[in-house]
Amino acid sequence: MASWGRRSSGMVHHIKALSKVELRGKAGEMKGGWWRYPLQPGVASALVPRSWPCVNTMASLFLVQRFKSSLPQKQVEDDDGDQDLDFPGGKVAYTSEMKFISGSYDKRIPCYRVLGDDGELIKYGSDFEKVNKELAVKMYSDMVCLQIMDTFMYEAQRQGRISFYMTSFGEEAATISSAAALTKDDIILPQYREPGALLWRGFTLQEFVNQCFGNKDDGGKGRQMPVHYGSSKHNFVTVSSPIATQLPQAAGMAYSLKMDKKDACVVAFIGDGGTSEGDFHAGLNFAAVMEAPVIFVCRNNGWAISTPTSDQFRSDGVVVKGQAYGIPSIRVDGTDALAVYSAIRAARSMAINEQRPVLVESLAYRVGHHSTSDDSTKYRSLNEIEHWKTDRDPVNKFRKWVELNGWWSERDEADLRSSIKKQLLKAIQVAEGMEKPPLTELFTDVYDLPPSNLIEQEKLLRQIVNKYPRDFPSDVSLH
């Protein structure tokens, strides 16, 4: 976590370390105000200002040490013989045939899966990461816990006890299995439907409920909307409402880890609708160019609030977008816990060992409404929702697989659900009866010394509250 704020110092340290590295090959030649250094075959010469300090090392930092996997593949020569275009970035073969690249593949990119709808291992599902009983039971237990918490908190909002809520129905496996495949040192940047990842890392039910009620024990001090969780202890960056802003941030954080030579990566989640934001493209391109160890996980749940994917994409979903940026990508069945776990494990290994970004598209239908502010029956059929709720439920699918292994029973199921419900009822009771953060907390944690305009705002707010006390919550202290 501390590495996030050390990018500048990390760069200085990296440049100093590289001052001991020698560039092999011919000496550089000066042209104009620039030094030109020959690099490895197939890579254009490095051009850097003559006035830069550590000219050799800067060129080495950004070009020489790039992985071969990131270089353009050799072009097949066409009927123009040995002629080609020596262009920055690599040689490009000429052709006398005018041919446009197809805008889409003849067939859609396949979706990787391991489990069938009845929890059985499919015949071609041998290529997956094995999980033991302890891991499988925890994954399943957390899925059940998330499902029950969503049910309770959704009802609490409908009763007017909290202002807002978002459920993860249908996407439980996509987030919990992703978190299970990571280590505690990996940094997670969520969108807003990833509480399962935070639950996996040890965030308690009481902490979840405290945040939704915005009481004095809420880590955000009541200044965020419900379900905008965050925890520095668990390397889970606080949810931010603006869509896709976390993706460029993830690329920067990942590059910071790379500079500090950390054995960790960054994992950034995004919804299918968020891929239409400019930050999605900026984040992927920046991560690709800088070869940052970041995994971009897109939860393609079929509906970006009320926009179907048919209206969202002209391309084949999200997975094909990675190729345009030179990023290895995979499409995975988000209702299949084993497939998600295996794909994220492999993506993490690739991101860290090869120091490069990876794109994962998870196909998991959003069964619930987009939020408590939405009624999804206005734009999709009840039959469609019911099909995914009953026939393709990721929690039931994984339970069947765990049961087939002899690791779960009806008694285990009853005990688990009873225990979670009791914990949630108690957590809600405690959170609801707890004091709200004092008014003073609205003006803290941004500046070490509050500027004059902020002091003036606080003074004005107090005057308004004192003048119209009935318009403000009586349980909020002014001190």
Side-chain angles (χ1 to χ4, degrees), residues 213-228:
F213 276 89
N215 59 38
K216 68 178 184 66
D217 281 353
D218 166 25
K221 301 181 180 180
R223 295 176 296 201
Q224 285 271 20
M225 290 173 61
V227 305
H228 285 52

Side-chain angles (χ1 to χ4, degrees), residues 95-254:
T95 178
S96 57
E97 178 185 2
M98 184 172 67
K99 184 178 181 181
F100 289 87
I101 297 174
S102 175
S104 61
Y105 295 100
D106 294 334
K107 295 182 179 180
R108 297 198 68 182
I109 301 297
C111 182
Y112 168 65
R113 70 168 183 165
V114 176
L115 297 177
D117 291 341
D118 292 324
E120 78 284 4
L121 286 174
I122 54 182
K123 61 181 180 180
Y124 50 88
S126 58
D127 184 20
F128 70 97
E129 288 279 342
K130 305 300 187 294
V131 298
N132 57 29
K133 176 181 178 179
E134 181 182 5
L135 180 59
V137 169
K138 175 170 170 50
M139 288 170 65
Y140 175 69
S141 299
D142 279 2
M143 288 183 209
V144 173
C145 185
L146 178 59
Q147 207 172 59
I148 295 175
M149 181 176 73
D150 279 349
T151 301
F152 274 55
M153 298 308 293
Y154 185 89
E155 292 302 321
Q157 193 281 333
R158 286 297 186 246
Q159 295 166 5
R161 301 163 83 173
I162 59 176
S163 62
F164 178 82
Y165 196 75
M166 303 180 79
T167 66
S168 299
F169 296 137
E171 301 180 67
E172 297 91 346
T175 54
I176 289 174
S177 297
S178 294
L182 305 173
T183 72
K184 61 181 179 62
D185 295 323
D186 297 324
I187 303 168
I188 295 177
L189 283 87
Q191 181 167 304
Y192 43 60
R193 217 179 295 275
E194 289 78 30
L198 190 53
L199 177 66
W200 176 268
R201 291 195 164 185
F203 206 67
T204 67
L205 291 178
Q206 188 66 65
E207 289 175 306
F208 278 113
V209 177
N210 286 342
Q211 196 283 326
C212 289
F213 276 89
N215 59 38
K216 68 178 184 66
D217 281 353
D218 166 25
K221 301 181 180 180
R223 295 176 296 201
Q224 285 271 20
M225 290 173 61
V227 305
H228 285 52
Y229 311 109
S231 173
S232 58
K233 174 184 176 182
H234 297 100
N235 269 353
F236 191 92
V237 180
T238 302
V239 174
S240 178
S241 288
I243 302 299
T245 55
Q246 70 273 17
L247 301 190
Q249 296 168 2
M253 289 181 183

Side-chain angles (χ1 to χ4, degrees), residues 186-430:
D186 297 324
I187 303 168
I188 295 177
L189 283 87
Q191 181 167 304
Y192 43 60
R193 217 179 295 275
E194 289 78 30
L198 190 53
L199 177 66
W200 176 268
R201 291 195 164 185
F203 206 67
T204 67
L205 291 178
Q206 188 66 65
E207 289 175 306
F208 278 113
V209 177
N210 286 342
Q211 196 283 326
C212 289
F213 276 89
N215 59 38
K216 68 178 184 66
D217 281 353
D218 166 25
K221 301 181 180 180
R223 295 176 296 201
Q224 285 271 20
M225 290 173 61
V227 305
H228 285 52
Y229 311 109
S231 173
S232 58
K233 174 184 176 182
H234 297 100
N235 269 353
F236 191 92
V237 180
T238 302
V239 174
S240 178
S241 288
I243 302 299
T245 55
Q246 70 273 17
L247 301 190
Q249 296 168 2
M253 289 181 183
Y255 191 65
S256 176
L257 294 178
K258 178 175 183 173
M259 288 195 301
D260 290 343
K261 301 186 185 304
K262 298 290 187 180
D263 185 26
C265 68
V266 173
V267 182
F269 288 89
I270 186 70
D272 47 292
T275 64
S276 293
E277 292 284 345
D279 279 345
F280 171 81
H281 303 279
L284 263 64
N285 189 56
F286 181 51
V289 171
M290 302 307 293
E291 294 180 333
V294 53
I295 306 172
F296 297 104
V297 181
C298 174
R299 295 178 295 89
N300 185 347
N301 59 33
W303 294 91
I305 302 183
S306 59
T307 304
T309 53
S310 58
D311 292 343
Q312 190 74 233
F313 310 124
R314 178 62 184 88
S315 62
D316 178 13
V318 178
V319 66
V320 295
K321 299 180 187 296
Q323 189 175 30
Y325 296 105
I327 297 177
S329 311
I330 187 172
R331 171 175 284 162
V332 61
D333 182 356
T335 69
D336 182 344
L338 290 184
V340 174
Y341 176 79
S342 300
I344 298 299
R345 287 274 292 183
R348 182 184 185 274
S349 177
M350 189 182 302
I352 293 177
N353 294 331
E354 298 183 19
Q355 290 292 288
R356 63 186 306 178
V358 183
L359 174 63
V360 178
E361 180 186 18
S362 166
L363 301 183
Y365 188 86
R366 169 170 59 80
V367 171
H369 304 300
H370 178 264
S371 71
T372 50
S373 303
D374 172 49
D375 179 3
S376 62
T377 63
K378 298 296 184 182
Y379 53 81
R380 57 184 187 176
S381 70
L382 288 172
N383 289 337
E384 178 180 308
I385 299 172
E386 190 62 25
H387 165 68
W388 285 92
K389 183 178 181 179
T390 57
D391 299 337
R392 302 298 308 279
D393 178 55
V395 182
N396 287 340
K397 181 190 295 189
F398 195 58
R399 176 186 175 180
K400 291 175 182 177
W401 181 78
V402 176
E403 287 178 335
L404 287 173
N405 282 279
W407 297 340
W408 199 251
S409 66
E410 287 291 342
R411 179 61 183 271
D412 294 326
E413 185 76 13
D415 289 345
L416 174 65
R417 290 183 176 275
S418 175
S419 174
I420 293 171
K421 289 177 181 178
K422 289 179 181 177
Q423 293 178 57
L424 276 167
L425 287 172
K426 181 179 179 181
I428 291 174
Q429 184 180 21
V430 170

Side-chain angles (χ1 to χ4, degrees), residues 214 216 220-223 435-451 454-463 465-466 472-473 475-479:
K216 68 178 184 66
K221 301 181 180 180
R223 295 176 296 201
E435 296 178 355
K436 302 295 183 183
L439 194 65
T440 52
E441 294 293 0
L442 278 176
F443 304 92
T444 60
D445 300 331
V446 176
Y447 301 98
D448 181 29
L449 295 175
L454 202 61
I455 295 174
E456 184 180 351
Q457 288 178 31
E458 181 179 1
K459 180 180 179 181
L460 179 61
L461 179 59
R462 290 179 180 280
Q463 291 174 353
V465 173
N466 288 326
F472 292 87
D475 57 345
V476 175
S477 172
L478 298 180
H479 306 289

